[in-house]
Amino acid sequence: MTRLKRWRIYLHILEHSHLADELDYDASDWAAWVKRIEAGHKEEEQYIERQQKKWEAKYAKIQKNADETYQDDYLAEEYSRICGLTNAMYGALTVSLWSELESFLVGICRACYWALEKKETALKTVSDFCNKTLDKAIDEQELSSSIKKLKNLRGGIPYRIGDIKYSLKNDLKIDLEQITDYAIIDAIRILNNSFKHNRGWYKPKQNRPDTHISQVLLRQWGIEEKKEIDYSKLPIKNLVLGSSAFRKELLERVERELANRIEGSKVSS
């Protein structure tokens, strides 16, 4: 199997995902999980309402006492607990969505790594440099180039978002931030990090743009700085549809750029 076939097949595999577009969202796993969470929350609310009515009937004919106050406090605590669990479930759903996207982005970089034969190119550059310097003085520029390629080879396939963005821009001139719905994808990443590392609080750092969600989305989703995020208010459908549109456009761009690059270099399939 040639390199060209290998990366093309891999990109075609990446076309298949658990995400959904407008036409099939209602039949997707994401919609099903949202329904489960909503149904569970509603069932718990109904339980609290039944308990409240039961206790109201019990105390209807007697003077209000300390026990009744205790029951009210208990129901309030139960409702708060239920809301917390629902919020955590939506947070976990958001984390799962980012996991899907992160795997996709790393997969895109892996296809580029294979298609552009980065490992082979780096090793050939170093080998050529070593052979040329056996019988003559070292060329500082060639030495620097060889060291740089070895360092890049050591890094391998990028996994961090900053490295992924750099790799796509450097190798294929693709600016990830210009892809459809990138703002939503970046927000999902930050929501994921907030849930896992900041106990669900939105705490952007002033000197770190990569920790900031766009102001437009913050207003739409009711998220405020240095406050706990209500994941249950996130528009999961919009997040899924945005992710799907992002995937589709990026896949098309990468396949087109790789084909142009390889055909331009006269790499045989």
Side-chain angles (χ1 to χ4, degrees):
M1 183 180 293
T2 65
R3 290 292 180 187
L4 184 59
K5 277 189 175 181
R6 186 183 187 188
W7 68 261
R8 279 194 183 279
I9 290 172
Y10 194 70
L11 287 182
H12 292 159
I13 291 173
L14 289 177
E15 289 178 1
H16 303 284
S17 75
H18 297 294
L19 298 176
D21 56 25
E22 186 70 49
L23 293 177
D24 55 10
Y25 173 79
D26 289 339
S28 70
D29 292 339
W30 305 100
W33 274 107
V34 168
K35 289 177 182 177
R36 290 188 185 101
I37 296 171
E38 290 178 346
H41 185 86
K42 185 175 181 180
E43 184 177 340
E44 292 297 326
E45 283 186 329
Q46 290 173 344
Y47 167 77
I48 289 178
E49 289 175 2
R50 290 196 299 270
Q51 286 297 101
Q52 185 174 23
K53 289 178 180 178
K54 182 190 297 185
W55 286 329
E56 285 177 351
K58 179 179 179 181
Y59 292 111
K61 297 180 180 180
I62 60 176
Q63 185 178 3
K64 185 172 182 177
N65 56 36
D67 289 335
E68 185 180 359
T69 302
Y70 166 77
Q71 302 296 356
D72 289 343
D73 290 342
Y74 170 77
L75 290 178
E77 290 176 1
E78 275 295 284
Y79 184 71
S80 177
R81 183 183 66 84
I82 289 164
C83 289
L85 286 172
T86 298
N87 187 56
M89 290 178 184
Y90 275 105
L93 204 58
T94 307
V95 169
S96 296
L97 184 53
W98 172 247
S99 178
E100 180 87 15
L101 289 166
E102 186 176 38
S103 177
F104 165 73
L105 288 169
V106 172
I108 286 288
C109 290
R110 181 176 290 111
C112 294
Y113 191 85
W114 291 339
L116 300 176
E117 299 184 333
K118 286 192 169 186
K119 180 178 180 179
E120 293 80 354
T121 301
L123 292 177
K124 185 177 185 306
T125 298
V126 175
S127 177
D128 290 346
F129 168 76
C130 292
N131 289 331
K132 290 168 79 174
T133 55
L134 287 175
D135 301 318
K136 65 177 185 178
I138 294 177
D139 184 300
E140 294 294 335
Q141 187 172 352
E142 289 186 7
L143 175 61
S144 176
S145 176
S146 297
I147 292 173
K148 183 177 180 180
K149 285 185 178 293
L150 280 176
K151 286 182 176 179
N152 291 338
L153 180 61
R154 181 184 60 187
I157 299 167
Y159 288 86
R160 294 181 179 275
I161 188 64
D163 296 332
I164 289 171
K165 290 167 70 174
Y166 172 81
S167 179
L168 290 174
K169 198 164 188 176
N170 184 62
D171 294 337
L172 300 180
K173 310 303 180 188
I174 293 177
D175 185 350
L176 212 59
E177 296 185 16
Q178 299 303 314
I179 302 297
T180 297
D181 285 328
Y182 171 79
I184 289 179
I185 273 59
D186 200 44
I188 294 171
R189 176 184 62 81
I190 296 170
L191 289 167
N192 163 81
N193 290 340
S194 298
F195 185 79
K196 293 196 298 185
H197 306 302
N198 292 332
R199 297 179 294 109
W201 286 59
Y202 177 53
K203 296 180 178 180
K205 298 179 180 178
Q206 187 174 2
N207 60 341
R208 290 277 304 277
D210 61 311
T211 65
H212 290 255
I213 297 174
S214 80
Q215 290 297 321
V216 173
L217 294 179
L218 289 177
R219 287 193 294 270
Q220 289 179 0
W221 300 343
I223 299 173
E224 298 181 45
E225 287 192 21
K226 299 180 180 179
K227 289 189 177 182
E228 190 172 5
I229 300 167
D230 189 345
Y231 286 87
S232 68
K233 291 184 178 179
L234 293 176
I236 297 298
K237 180 177 180 178
N238 291 348
L239 300 189
V240 173
L241 296 184
S243 299
S244 183
F246 172 84
R247 280 179 56 101
K248 182 179 179 181
E249 182 175 329
L250 183 56
L251 267 172
E252 291 174 352
R253 287 280 306 277
V254 167
E255 186 166 13
R256 183 168 62 249
E257 293 296 332
L258 283 176
N260 290 339
R261 176 72 61 85
I262 292 172
E263 290 169 5
S265 300
K266 299 182 180 180
V267 176
S268 173
S269 63

